[in-house]
Amino acid sequence: MGLIVAFLIWYNLVGKNNPGIYKALDGKIRGIVTTIIILSVFGSAIPSFFIGSLVVVMTLAFTFGLPVFIIKTILKSLGLIKDKEKESLNSAYDRARYEKEVNATGNKKNKKKYGSSLTGLTKSYPKRRKIVEKFSKKYSLNLTDKEVDRIVDASYTSYSWEREIYDMDQDYDILAQWYNRDTGWLRAYLRVFPIQSVSSDFDRQREICLDVFTQVLTEINPGRFATIDECVDAINDKYLTAFNEQTFMIAYRFLEANKVHIDLPSHSVLKGESELERLMHKYDEDAERGYNGSVTGGTTYRNKGVGEKLKI
C-alpha cells in the first residue's frame, strides 16, 4: 500500500506536470497500480519488503521534497542550472511579449499574480491539453490531435504558446473578444483555415501566418471587388476558408503592419438622377461618339447643348 500511495503522490505532483513522463505513462497507470498490488500481496510474507516500501517512500519524499527544493534554489542562484521559466522566452516574439505583458508593471516576476508559470496556467499536461481540445471544439478551430499536442508541448518552452492556452481558458461572450489581442493574426489563422500549420517556435509561426495571408490576399486581389463582403465570399469559395469581415480586416492589418500592401475595394457613392438628367447624360454620350449633326427638311442643325440649336 505504501508503494501505491507513494507512486500516486509522485504521479500527481510530478508526472502530470512533465510532458515526457505523462506521455510515457498515459493509459498505463491502472496496470502499474495492479502490478504494485500483486507484488505487495506476494511480498507480504517477507518483512523486508515492508522495510523496502518504507525506504522507497522516504526516498521519494526526500527526492521531491524540501531538501531538493533548497538544493535547486542554491544551484540556480549560482547559475549552475537554468530557470525553466526564463527558458520559455526562447524567441524574439516571446521576449517582446513577456516584456510588454509582465514587466510593464515593474515587477519582473510577480508570483502572487502569475503563479508557478509565467501566466499562472496550470502545469498539468492533461489539463492544458483539455483546455485546447475544448476550445478547438467549441469554436471550430479544426486542430488535429497532433497540432493540439504540439501546442501543449510548446507551452512548456514558449511563453507565447503558454499565453495562448491561458487565454483559451477564459470566458468570452463572443468569439470577437478572443481576437482582441496582439496575436489576433494567429487566432484568425487558426479559426478560418480548415488545415493549419502549427510550429512550436512562435517566430516561425508568425512567418507561416504572414506567408499564408500574403498568398491568399494577393491572389484574390481585393481591389477588383465592389465590396469587402464580395471579396470575403470569393476567398471562402476558392480556399474553403471561414473568413468574415472581421477576420479579413485582421489579416489585412497584419499585412499592412509588415509592409505588405493590398488594395481594398473602393466604394463609390450611389446617387439617384431625374429623367431629364438621364436624357442629358445620354445626349452627351451620343455627342462624344460623333453624332453631332443631323439634317431635317434641308435644314442642318448643330447641337450645342440641351434646348439649344443653331440654324445654318
Side-chain angles (χ1 to χ4, degrees), residues 8 31 38 99 110 152 206 220 232 243 247 255 282-283 295:
L8 293 177
I38 294 175
E99 291 289 335
N110 187 337
V152 176
R206 188 172 179 275
I220 207 68
V232 168
F243 274 98
T247 50
L255 295 183
K282 185 176 184 303
Y283 191 84
V295 179

Side-chain angles (χ1 to χ4, degrees), residues 11 21-29:
Y11 178 73
I21 296 176
Y22 174 77
K23 290 181 179 180
L25 298 182
D26 188 27
K28 301 177 182 177
I29 302 300

Side-chain angles (χ1 to χ4, degrees), residues 278-288 303 305-306:
R278 187 185 67 79
L279 292 174
M280 289 173 63
H281 290 161
K282 185 176 184 303
Y283 191 84
D284 291 339
E285 290 173 359
D286 290 343
E288 291 177 359
N303 300 326
V306 176

